[in-house]
Amino acid sequence: KDTQEVLRIPYRCNSWRCSKCGGKIARRDYRRTFEAFNRHEQWAFMVLTLDVDSFKKRNLSNQFAYKIINYNLVKLRQRIERKYGSFDFVRVVERTPSNSFPHVNVVFHCKELFEQFQDDDQILKWNKRWLTGNAKQCGFGIKHTITFARNKQAVASYLGKTGLFSTIAKEVSKQSQVPFDAPPHFRRIGATRGLLPALNKLSDNVWTGELIRGPIPEKINMEVDYGSKEANAG
């Protein structure tokens, strides 16, 4: 606004599915989840799967599984909160390579639960005595794991899938856990309201602008890096 400098920048969809935007979104998810993890000292890592055989017997597709898995997690979270109190979490839905059905990674903090079960052995006992039955009643299968998270940075990197998204521009391997076959508009990552930093918190009112629908001007070389200031100068 002060200098009247003009930049022309190609519009980005900012979708984790996109070959151009996926790596950027993965790095953004890593930064947001790592910042969220710093709000509590202790976190646990839980992986919940679905009963795939049951889905197949009822002729239910993996598309339906993607639609129901977050609903199942809401029900389980409510049960945990009723019994143990406040439950902060970050969840990421992934694709299981062996059967193409989704599973969900949940990194959570629950103070009252952690006070009762203070190490991996104790929380594994809680898993067998309470979690297995309640998870099944909420629509999950019996195969799941839980352990305390030792390295917040490593967990944030795993959830963001920074390594996998760096190869999105290439043909995606069938062994990939990134849920590319999820329904349109599917939210891969979610969290307790207010836990993740806002996406638009860095607004400084230095720039103003508008979207212009049309071809990129010919004088801009299509081969250069459009992320650079020099490439986008009008």
Side-chain angles (χ1 to χ4, degrees):
K1 291 182 179 181
D2 293 337
T3 65
Q4 299 301 306
E5 180 184 8
V6 176
L7 300 180
R8 292 191 182 98
I9 303 174
Y11 176 78
R12 299 301 185 198
C13 67
N14 288 327
S15 169
W16 54 267
R17 301 174 187 263
C18 176
S19 61
K20 296 184 183 298
C21 301
K24 169 189 170 184
I25 299 305
R27 291 188 293 271
R28 183 195 70 187
D29 289 344
Y30 163 77
R31 290 191 296 268
R32 296 176 74 212
T33 53
F34 185 60
E35 186 173 333
F37 292 159
N38 286 329
R39 298 192 180 190
H40 299 295
E41 183 63 29
Q42 191 173 31
W43 295 82
F45 187 93
M46 176 168 59
V47 181
L48 298 166
T49 64
L50 298 171
D51 185 349
V52 176
D53 290 338
S54 175
F55 274 76
K56 291 181 176 179
K57 287 179 181 178
R58 292 180 290 166
N59 293 320
L60 298 175
S61 67
N62 68 333
Q63 295 292 293
F64 178 78
Y66 276 110
K67 294 179 180 179
I68 202 70
I69 194 167
N70 286 327
Y71 175 69
N72 292 350
L73 181 59
V74 168
K75 293 193 293 184
L76 180 60
R77 185 200 73 201
Q78 290 173 342
R79 289 193 178 205
I80 295 175
E81 287 183 328
R82 283 196 295 267
K83 186 171 182 63
Y84 298 102
S86 178
F87 181 88
D88 274 348
F89 72 95
V90 178
R91 65 105 184 116
V92 172
V93 176
E94 294 184 328
R95 173 182 175 274
T96 307
S98 61
N99 55 39
S100 78
F101 275 73
H103 63 268
V104 59
N105 300 318
V106 186
V107 184
F108 69 92
H109 172 84
C110 184
K111 182 179 178 181
E112 293 185 26
L113 176 64
F114 293 168
E115 288 175 347
Q116 295 185 41
F117 307 98
Q118 299 177 0
D119 56 38
D120 286 341
D121 289 338
Q122 291 180 341
I123 207 166
L124 284 174
K125 291 179 181 179
W126 173 77
N127 176 18
K128 294 179 180 179
R129 295 173 182 173
W130 190 90
L131 180 60
T132 297
N134 282 273
K136 187 175 182 180
Q137 292 174 18
C138 292
F140 290 106
I142 60 172
K143 294 181 179 180
H144 52 269
T145 61
I146 184 169
T147 186
F148 281 104
R150 307 300 180 193
N151 188 323
K152 297 177 184 178
Q153 188 173 10
V155 173
S157 180
Y158 179 81
L159 295 184
K161 281 291 183 285
T162 52
L164 284 176
F165 275 105
S166 65
T167 61
I168 283 182
K170 304 176 183 178
E171 182 178 358
V172 178
S173 168
K174 291 183 179 180
Q175 297 304 310
S176 171
Q177 292 186 330
V178 181
F180 292 105
D181 52 355
H185 313 297
F186 182 79
R187 294 184 62 186
R188 192 182 72 92
I189 187 170
T192 308
R193 185 184 297 273
L195 182 63
L196 292 176
L199 291 174
N200 59 349
K201 68 176 184 177
L202 298 178
S203 177
D204 54 15
N205 294 319
V206 173
W207 294 86
T208 186
E210 61 180 332
L211 289 175
I212 302 174
R213 187 169 184 172
I216 298 176
E218 292 182 2
K219 65 179 180 180
I220 297 182
N221 187 344
M222 294 294 290
E223 299 299 323
V224 301
D225 179 8
Y226 287 106
S228 68
K229 182 175 180 181
E230 291 77 10
N232 293 307

